[in-house]
Amino acid sequence: MRPRLLLAALLVFALPVFGRAAPAPAGGKSNGPPIVFQVAPVDKFLADVRGIVRTVGGDGIVQMMDGAITNKFGEKGWAGIDTKKPVTGYIFLPNKALKGVEDFKEIYGVVAIPVTSEDEFKGFFRRLSPPDDPVTFKPVEGKKGLYALENKTEDTIQMRVRFHEGYAYVGVNAKDDQLDATALVSAADLVKANDPGLVLIRFITDRYPEELVKQQSQQIDEMVAKLKEQAGGGVGWIGGILESYAAMTKRMSTVMKETEESGFRLAYDEKAAEVAIETYAVPKKGSAYALELADMKSGTNRFAALVTDKTPAAVLLQLPTSSPEFRDMLSKAIDAGQKAKDNAPPPAQPILEELLKGLGRTVKADSLDFAVAVNPGKDGHYTGVAAISFDDATGLEKVLKEAYKDAPQDVKDTVKLDVDKIEGVNVHRISPPDSDEKAKKLFGSTDIFVAFGPKGVYAAIGIDANAAIKAALTAKPAPAKVVDVVVNPKLLGDMAGTVDENAGKMVAQVLGGTDKRLSAFSISYEGGASMKMRTALNLNVIPKAMMMTFAMRGAAAPAR
């Protein structure tokens, strides 16, 4: 039965993530559902989906989508559904370890669908089912107002419906008593009013069954133990990394015990043309986690200033290392590299040793920052610059210079040391023997300049390379997202056009001529009264580029 599968899918989506919640504190727990979800009203949901589809594929695809809905639902369309109210629901979990099929059968959910009338909703539900196997609403004997959803198809999932307070409460695997009017959780108590999301899934911490938390913790311990065994008894660096992972997981469990509510939201921002997955956690007042979030500072990137309003394209990345467990895991991985360096050729061993030592020092800092950007330069050319955090890179520079003494002549012809000095830092030049004409046309020069500073390693290409390295060396940390892929569609098209006129036209056709800095893809977080993490995709950039690529491949494919 297709309607049953659609409703059951809501439960399947929620179940893999229910383990994120934590057990109730000693002294009792709430009797409400631990998992609550809602979907935007049909009118808003369809309007947002149309906006997403229109942005990526155009009006023609929207018309095809609307036609498919009309073909499915017929002339009556959504008649039977109150399209102004959100769909909502909840899931109850048993307070026991889930070990077999019978245990999972104790999980049940209820989906509350706003209706215009009982008869109209029954008609709508029948329109969802195949014409040759329609759904019937069969009254349940001895349960006034309760219906069993039945059709010819055998289904192990029991489906029941009760109409109550303007909603059809559809029970998935629920017992008849659990759908009694007095046992239902009112839709009014479930809905988070004015929530902007298309879909919202909430986890209420104090309602989560303690036995399931114990099972999850045991499963993590068993998984780590098994991986250790497969890695040779958990001795050495692999065992250390696994222990760090287990410590991180346990820390998350501890944090969740101090969380009042957490959840996920799928959202669409029409003005920004962004689709985002938002994760949030609300701490319990006065908890250590609440204090931690209150002190949380906004993310910064040491090299954020390399990206300006004139930047055609850039990537900013920040790897937070403030978590002791995460930092410990990275440190153990670096230690593993130290032990493995002896397998490298003897000339490379000092370089690897200093590289790993520097990474070890860097990991102990608050964050590891990276940036790469292309900016306009002189005479219509562009300058590419890259920078990465590295604590005291002068040691790495020293061992590289030692290795240079014994390098072959062709390497010495390609690499020239100490060709300049910027802000007291030596600059070295790499001149590729086979320069690319397109790169030369774009940057004006294919020489690459490299510098090893007290706080990072820097590289630049172009006739303005030295100015770019200076900008990176002197840059101050500035607010930035954890990950930010930055694009200015107009400037990117202009840049592509300097190399190939047709390429510039193609970029303009795909991305448009917006002269504005856009985050094509980003991950950001913030603290305060709650933790919020947002992963966003701009529909005007990557999805459009992918659609155009697919269309070009389809057009170029030979006919069969």
Side-chain angles (χ1 to χ4, degrees):
M1 179 192 293
R2 294 180 188 176
R4 291 188 184 186
L5 294 176
L6 289 170
L7 292 169
L10 290 171
L11 305 187
V12 173
F13 174 77
L15 288 177
V17 290
F18 65 67
R20 293 178 179 271
K29 66 177 183 179
S30 170
N31 293 320
I35 302 172
V36 177
F37 57 88
Q38 68 186 66
V39 180
V42 170
D43 285 351
K44 173 180 168 50
F45 191 93
L46 286 178
D48 283 357
V49 171
R50 287 189 185 101
I52 293 169
V53 173
R54 182 178 293 108
T55 300
V56 177
D59 289 330
I61 305 298
V62 174
Q63 291 172 6
M64 290 175 59
M65 183 189 79
D66 287 340
I69 293 174
T70 301
N71 289 337
K72 179 62 182 176
F73 296 155
E75 294 181 358
K76 291 186 177 181
W78 295 95
I81 304 293
D82 187 337
T83 59
K84 305 295 183 184
K85 295 180 181 178
V87 175
T88 186
Y90 53 90
I91 299 172
F92 272 101
L93 307 169
N95 188 22
K96 63 190 295 186
L98 301 175
K99 298 180 179 179
V101 175
E102 293 303 315
D103 292 330
F104 277 93
K105 285 183 179 179
E106 295 186 38
I107 299 171
Y108 79 91
V110 176
V111 182
I113 304 171
V115 301
T116 51
S117 74
E118 182 173 327
D119 288 340
E120 286 183 324
F121 177 76
K122 289 178 180 178
F124 172 81
F125 216 77
R126 292 190 187 100
R127 293 198 297 277
L128 284 178
S129 56
D132 58 346
D133 191 12
V135 176
T136 61
F137 287 71
K138 181 180 178 181
V140 177
E141 188 176 348
K143 298 290 181 180
K144 186 179 179 180
L146 186 65
Y147 299 91
L149 294 178
E150 295 183 353
N151 65 350
K152 297 176 185 177
T153 306
E154 292 186 6
D155 204 323
T156 57
I157 301 175
Q158 177 173 282
M159 303 281 286
R160 297 282 192 267
V161 179
R162 179 178 292 280
F163 294 93
H164 183 62
E165 296 179 341
Y167 281 80
Y169 287 82
V170 183
V172 182
N173 212 41
K175 294 181 175 61
D176 292 346
D177 290 343
Q178 292 166 337
L179 287 173
D180 189 87
T182 58
L184 294 173
V185 181
S186 172
D189 294 330
L190 296 171
V191 171
K192 204 166 189 176
N194 301 318
D195 187 85
L198 285 170
V199 179
L200 174 65
I201 302 176
R202 301 161 57 202
F203 303 92
I204 316 301
T205 304
D206 288 352
R207 300 175 183 173
Y208 194 79
E210 189 169 355
E211 289 302 316
L212 283 180
V213 176
K214 291 179 181 178
Q215 182 186 25
Q216 182 194 25
S217 180
Q218 290 172 358
Q219 288 174 340
I220 292 172
D221 291 341
E222 290 169 2
M223 180 189 69
V224 171
K226 187 174 182 179
L227 289 173
K228 281 185 178 181
E229 183 180 350
Q230 293 175 347
V235 178
W237 66 275
I238 294 180
I241 292 176
L242 290 173
E243 287 175 2
S244 298
Y245 168 76
M248 283 180 63
T249 306
K250 289 179 180 179
R251 182 174 184 270
M252 287 176 62
S253 296
T254 300
V255 166
M256 292 312 296
K257 290 178 183 179
E258 299 177 348
T259 299
E260 184 176 292
E261 178 184 318
S262 58
F264 302 91
R265 177 185 291 107
L266 175 63
Y268 169 58
D269 185 333
E270 181 179 12
K271 186 176 181 181
E274 281 187 342
V275 172
I277 296 176
E278 300 171 351
T279 305
Y280 72 91
V282 180
K284 293 178 179 177
K285 293 181 179 179
S287 66
Y289 186 42
L291 296 175
E292 182 180 331
L293 287 179
D295 290 337
M296 182 182 287
K297 303 293 189 299
S298 297
T300 62
N301 189 303
R302 182 182 301 278
F303 312 114
L306 296 178
V307 184
T308 72
D309 290 338
K310 299 299 182 182
T311 301
V315 176
L316 292 172
L317 175 65
Q318 174 198 112
L319 185 63
T321 56
S322 56
S323 165
E325 294 80 10
F326 184 63
R327 188 167 58 238
D328 187 53
M329 185 166 66
L330 289 178
S331 296
K332 284 184 167 64
I334 292 169
D335 290 342
Q338 287 281 16
K339 295 173 183 177
K341 77 176 188 301
D342 295 337
N343 297 325
Q349 290 180 13
I351 299 172
L352 284 174
E353 181 176 9
E354 186 56 42
L355 175 65
L356 292 166
K357 283 182 179 178
L359 287 173
R361 294 191 299 270
T362 306
V363 163
K364 293 177 182 178
D366 288 339
S367 66
L368 196 160
D369 299 334
F370 169 79
V372 57
V374 180
N375 287 308
K378 295 177 181 177
D379 304 325
H381 296 296
Y382 291 82
T383 303
V385 59
I388 186 169
S389 298
F390 195 95
D391 191 67
D392 192 9
T394 56
L396 180 60
E397 179 186 40
K398 183 177 179 180
V399 295
L400 286 170
K401 282 186 173 181
E402 284 297 318
Y404 181 85
K405 294 177 181 178
D406 299 322
Q409 188 57 46
D410 59 337
V411 173
K412 291 183 176 180
D413 291 341
T414 300
V415 181
K416 297 299 180 183
L417 303 179
D418 303 330
V419 297
D420 205 342
K421 187 173 289 242
I422 301 173
E423 298 291 321
V425 175
N426 295 319
V427 178
H428 317 288
R429 185 181 66 226
I430 302 172
S431 301
D434 300 318
S435 60
D436 183 85
E437 286 304 315
K438 288 185 177 180
K440 190 171 184 179
K441 193 173 182 180
L442 180 64
F443 297 111
S445 168
T446 56
D447 287 348
I448 300 169
F449 295 83
V450 180
F452 300 84
K455 294 293 183 180
V457 178
Y458 314 89
I461 182 173
I463 57 178
D464 277 347
N466 281 5
I469 288 179
K470 181 176 181 178
L473 276 165
T474 58
K476 303 296 183 183
K481 298 172 181 177
V482 177
V483 178
D484 200 1
V485 180
V486 178
V487 170
N488 182 308
K490 180 183 182 304
L491 299 182
L492 183 61
D494 292 345
M495 184 178 76
T498 63
V499 177
D500 186 310
E501 184 178 350
N502 289 330
K505 290 179 179 179
M506 179 64 72
V507 171
Q509 181 182 353
V510 175
L511 303 184
T514 302
D515 188 5
K516 182 180 179 181
R517 173 176 169 174
L518 302 176
S519 288
F521 174 79
S522 64
I523 300 175
S524 58
Y525 72 91
E526 61 180 274
S530 63
M531 184 283 294
K532 299 175 185 175
M533 187 171 77
R534 189 172 189 269
T535 302
L537 178 69
N538 190 296
L539 300 174
N540 280 317
V541 186
I542 297 176
K544 274 193 173 181
M546 292 176 65
M547 287 283 288
M548 179 61 71
T549 300
F550 292 146
M552 290 174 63
R553 286 179 179 175
R560 294 184 179 179

